[in-house]
């Protein structure tokens, strides 16, 4: 399912207009991104938790040349599904 299909489903289930569903989708994604940038965790009970994982700098190899390179430290978003979400998928 892509973004357009997701918004269509939101319209069907919520009686929102397409424009309002797009605004809601944009507001949700922007809010999650801002919270994670600020070091906050976003916990939606019954759905899951968005969090940030940190990777330390490490040594790597260029696969073409075999040359040793340094991979910079970075942050990456993580999502952990909640119990109710897992149960709904597995039922």
């Amino acid at each position: 399912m892509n973004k357009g299909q997701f918004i269509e489903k939101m319209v069907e289930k919520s009686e929102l207009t397409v424009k309002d569903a797009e605004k809601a989708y944009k507001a949700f994604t922007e809010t999650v991104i801002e919270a994670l940038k600020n070091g906050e965790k976003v916990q939606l009970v019954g759905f899951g938790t968005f969090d940030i994982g940190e990777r330390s700098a490490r040594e790597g190899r260029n696969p073409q040349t075999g040359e040793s390179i340094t991979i910079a430290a970075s942050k990456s978003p993580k999502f952990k599904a909640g119990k109710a979400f897992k149960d709904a998928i597995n039922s």
Side-chain angles (χ1 to χ4, degrees):
M1 176 181 290
N2 63 28
K3 177 182 169 183
Q5 293 166 330
F6 182 77
I7 289 172
E8 285 177 25
K9 287 290 185 183
M10 286 178 61
V11 169
E12 287 175 22
K13 293 183 179 281
S14 67
E15 300 177 8
L16 291 171
T17 65
V18 172
K19 198 171 195 175
D20 288 341
E22 287 174 345
K23 284 181 186 177
Y25 171 82
K26 186 175 179 180
F28 174 78
T29 56
E30 287 176 355
T31 301
V32 170
I33 290 168
E34 286 174 18
L36 294 178
K37 276 180 147 180
N38 293 331
E40 299 174 54
K41 183 190 316 188
V42 178
Q43 186 174 1
L44 305 172
V45 176
F47 184 69
T49 303
F50 295 90
D51 203 358
I52 289 289
E54 298 196 23
R55 294 181 176 178
S56 56
R58 61 195 185 281
E59 217 34 53
R61 296 232 178 258
N62 180 331
Q64 292 179 337
T65 63
E67 179 184 351
S68 182
I69 59 173
T70 301
I71 301 170
S74 64
K75 296 179 182 178
S76 63
K78 298 188 306 183
F79 176 76
K80 183 178 178 191
K83 183 178 180 341
F85 185 30
K86 289 179 191 175
D87 292 346
I89 299 298
N90 289 311
S91 64

